[in-house]
Amino acid sequence: MTPEASTTAEHTGSKRDHSPPAEPPAPDTEENGQTESAKRQRFDEDMNSESEDSDNGVLQHPQSSGGKSHNMHRSSAGKTVGGGKRYSAPPSRNSPVDGENTSDEESGESMSEEEPAVPRAGRGKGGGKMFASKMLARKALSTSRHNSDSDGSSGDESPDDGDKPMAPANAEPYLSAPTTTQSIQSHGNAQSDHVMEGTTPTQTSWQSETPNTATSRPPDSDKPDYVLKYSLVGHRKGVSSVKFSPDGNWLASASADKTVKLWNAYNGKYDKTLEGHGGGLSDVTWSSDSRYLATGSDDKTVRIWDRDSGRTLKILRGHTNYVFCVCYNPKSTLLASGSFDETVRIWDVQTGKCIRTLPAHSDPVVALNFNRDGSMIVTCSYDGLIRIWDITTGQCLKTIVNDNNPAVSFVKFSPNSKYILAATQDNTLRLWNYHTGKCLKMYKGHLNENYCCFGAFSVTGGKWIVSGSEDHCIYLWNLQNKEIVQKLQGHTDVVLCVDCHPLKNIIASGSLNKDKSVKIWKYDC
């Protein structure tokens, strides 16, 4: 079935054809996509063609090994335990300044050793970080989970232990013994993304949407025009993470219901469910060859899965609190995990052994990401710090902190690894030049004060910054001029996670408990 199909087909069980989808793109052709190097080149050219706005943020070198010497330790008040850590408790936060794009200047001085930071409510050690009241900001919740918290810029730089097998591949969908069939439906004239009539929580369903439900955006040839194509229903709790496979064929969605579901990235067809974790999931990541996945859970473990069989290959144990974020290095020989125990662990994928533990932050580690050659990793935390680490030595190379020190809820290297995109709980995303410690761009207009909402770079068509939002929408900004170019509407709860397809103009999004759906949006493809 192609994405455009409007017929209805039904199938039973969860055993499916695990061969690659019928319409894989040709990554080296101009029509179907771009190679990774081409994307990086386009990003470089675009970033170098414009002037930047810079922030008065401070870049610091570590004061001692381990990186925990920073004086801004946060209070642990207000945290609760629950499933799926992407949420956090509603703490008091400063409202961001107005979201004008013409001037990103921010006043204020950086925190100093003599100037102790004011503790933030809802910060510190505690239960699963992305779900619960905040859904720990990124997870769907089983029990409640909570976290919490301004702005800056001006300048003229140019940015640019054992192996435990999972359920067999032919096992039924994520419920142990569903009595209903998996359903795949297409609604040519659907006006909304409701669960298909007749489906129940024990069903996994695919639903085609019409273009007219999606966006609020003035027509403009220089702006994207994403429309809602498919609503993927099946998770029993909020969706904490969505990730496209590097080859573009698959979409994985992790949830507080303790499962990962795999879908065809092009037509939304359900493939299988991965089960085995004892707690809600906060994150999922793909290996570079798209054959394996890794997940982080509130059961304090990381699991490595085989995509084709759906079995667990390894269980990585060592964290002493919820695992909130996971990421493969580019060669997929190493796996990094960040936890509520405030550490980052580096694992050897082949042996399943932890080869290094970084005492990274003084609050839960909520996001991490490798640069493109795998030599460095960037981490962030509710302690308000962004840190860059040398993978070989485990040394903290640089620390970036914004003047107002808002909680940092997401961080990621740009496609060319020259910049860092960071989301903070003051309704702002910032693009940093980590070499100079300057904030080059600030993106505002969305709502992000309580959850760890994902951000992403979209470089397959134009150059956009994409983010989920607590107002149930997805926002797209022009990377250079910071203008909101599109606002996608369709979810009915906080949009915690987003991801951009590596080859096509496709965006995936996932939402919390009142919604529980994964949506696929397409533009010009």
Side-chain angles (χ1 to χ4, degrees):
M1 179 185 298
T2 64
E4 293 77 16
S6 60
T7 59
T8 300
E10 294 193 359
H11 50 88
T12 60
S14 65
K15 185 173 183 179
R16 293 173 175 278
D17 178 5
H18 302 305
S19 59
E23 48 174 345
D28 292 327
T29 65
E30 186 174 339
E31 177 181 355
N32 290 319
Q34 307 169 4
T35 62
E36 183 181 355
S37 60
K39 292 179 193 175
R40 290 197 296 262
Q41 182 177 0
R42 289 190 62 191
F43 189 88
D44 286 338
E45 291 173 352
D46 189 69
M47 295 295 280
N48 290 327
S49 65
E50 302 279 348
S51 63
E52 71 188 31
D53 307 315
S54 73
D55 191 43
N56 292 324
V58 177
L59 182 149
Q60 301 177 348
H61 289 280
Q63 298 171 10
S64 67
S65 62
K68 292 189 73 170
S69 61
H70 198 281
N71 63 329
M72 293 180 281
H73 185 80
R74 294 296 177 255
S75 166
S76 61
K79 300 279 186 173
T80 58
V81 180
K85 343 166 110 168
R86 289 289 177 195
Y87 311 91
S88 57
S92 59
R93 266 188 195 59
N94 296 326
S95 300
V97 298
D98 59 24
E100 294 185 5
N101 290 329
T102 55
S103 176
D104 287 346
E105 295 185 1
E106 180 176 10
S107 61
E109 299 180 359
S110 61
M111 305 298 290
S112 66
E113 288 295 322
E114 299 72 34
E115 188 177 22
V118 179
R120 285 191 184 81
R123 299 272 192 97
K125 302 175 184 177
K129 34 168 147 183
M130 300 267 193
F131 296 131
S133 46
K134 209 188 190 171
M135 215 177 168
L136 280 173
R138 220 160 55 172
K139 281 182 125 184
L141 79 186
S142 8
T143 42
S144 171
R145 258 180 213 189
H146 303 274
N147 297 2
S148 29
D149 120 51
S150 349
D151 180 288
S153 137
S154 104
D156 35 8
E157 238 180 276
S158 215
D160 191 71
D161 313 90
D163 300 347
K164 181 178 179 182
M166 285 314 302
N170 61 351
E172 294 294 328
Y174 65 90
L175 289 182
S176 56
T179 57
T180 57
T181 60
Q182 306 278 340
S183 59
I184 301 181
Q185 298 191 13
S186 173
H187 298 283
N189 295 309
Q191 292 297 316
S192 65
D193 58 336
H194 301 304
V195 177
M196 293 158 302
E197 183 177 357
T199 60
T200 69
T202 63
Q203 294 177 295
T204 298
S205 58
W206 165 100
Q207 178 178 348
S208 176
E209 300 289 346
T210 53
N212 60 359
T213 62
T215 78
S216 61
R217 176 192 69 78
D220 190 317
S221 59
D222 294 331
K223 296 182 179 180
D225 188 19
Y226 282 90
V227 295
L228 178 58
K229 287 293 186 179
Y230 308 109
S231 287
L232 314 181
V233 181
H235 282 297
R236 296 166 295 170
K237 292 187 178 180
V239 181
S240 57
S241 179
V242 291
K243 296 287 177 64
F244 286 107
S245 61
D247 63 9
N249 291 331
W250 305 99
L251 175 65
S253 59
S255 169
D257 65 11
K258 309 177 187 179
T259 71
V260 172
K261 289 186 180 294
L262 301 184
W263 317 81
N264 183 300
Y266 295 103
N267 60 25
K269 186 177 179 181
Y270 168 81
D271 182 66
K272 64 169 65 69
T273 298
L274 312 182
E275 297 179 276
H277 275 294
L281 306 187
S282 285
D283 203 7
V284 61
T285 186
W286 288 90
S287 63
S288 57
D289 60 5
S290 302
R291 294 176 57 194
Y292 307 103
L293 303 94
T295 51
S297 169
D298 289 353
D299 64 11
K300 307 176 187 178
T301 69
V302 176
R303 284 182 181 243
I304 298 177
W305 310 78
D306 179 78
R307 182 206 67 202
D308 289 337
S309 68
R311 294 178 180 271
T312 295
L313 301 179
K314 286 184 172 61
I315 303 176
L316 312 181
R317 296 183 173 92
H319 282 294
T320 59
N321 210 327
Y322 310 104
V323 181
F324 195 65
C325 46
V326 289
C327 185
Y328 276 103
N329 72 339
K331 293 182 179 180
S332 297
T333 56
L334 300 176
L335 182 65
S337 58
S339 168
F340 254 53
D341 63 15
E342 304 173 3
T343 70
V344 170
R345 285 180 176 260
I346 309 297
W347 310 84
D348 183 292
V349 171
Q350 185 173 5
T351 65
K353 302 297 182 182
C354 178
I355 60 175
R356 189 178 300 280
T357 299
L358 308 176
H361 292 274
S362 58
D363 267 327
V365 181
V366 296
L368 44 74
N369 186 237
F370 282 94
N371 67 338
R372 70 183 187 188
D373 65 6
S375 62
M376 298 186 297
I377 189 170
V378 61
T379 64
C380 69
S381 169
Y382 288 118
D383 62 9
L385 306 182
I386 299 169
R387 284 195 161 124
I388 300 172
W389 307 82
D390 183 284
I391 287 300
T392 303
T393 65
Q395 186 177 24
C396 180
L397 303 176
K398 292 179 181 177
T399 295
I400 298 173
V401 56
N402 191 66
D403 289 343
N404 295 332
N405 194 39
V408 186
S409 55
F410 179 81
V411 69
K412 184 175 185 176
F413 279 105
S414 64
N416 58 16
S417 290
K418 292 183 178 180
Y419 311 100
I420 289 174
L421 179 67
T424 49
Q425 292 179 342
D426 60 354
N427 309 305
T428 307
L429 290 101
R430 291 175 173 85
L431 188 68
W432 293 88
N433 181 329
Y434 62 88
H435 299 287
T436 63
K438 290 181 179 286
C439 176
L440 310 179
K441 304 286 181 182
M442 297 199 313
Y443 308 94
K444 301 180 183 180
H446 65 309
L447 180 63
N448 184 16
E449 295 182 340
N450 299 304
Y451 296 87
C452 293
C453 295
F454 283 82
F457 291 93
S458 175
V459 294
T460 52
K463 272 75 67 181
W464 322 118
I465 300 295
V466 183
S467 176
S469 176
E470 293 169 21
D471 63 2
H472 310 173
C473 300
I474 298 126
Y475 286 78
L476 285 77
W477 292 265
N478 181 295
L479 183 145
Q480 277 298 336
N481 64 27
K482 303 164 289 180
E483 174 190 3
I484 295 176
V485 293
Q486 193 170 11
K487 177 180 176 182
L488 307 181
Q489 299 172 307
H491 283 289
T492 57
D493 203 347
V494 173
V495 180
L496 201 59
C497 47
V498 295
D499 195 32
C500 297
H501 195 276
L503 304 169
K504 296 282 191 176
N505 298 325
I506 304 175
I507 294 173
S509 59
S511 185
L512 296 194
N513 277 346
K514 293 179 182 178
D515 186 312
K516 296 179 278 196
S517 73
V518 175
K519 296 187 185 296
I520 295 179
W521 314 76
K522 294 188 176 184
Y523 161 52
D524 195 28
C525 65

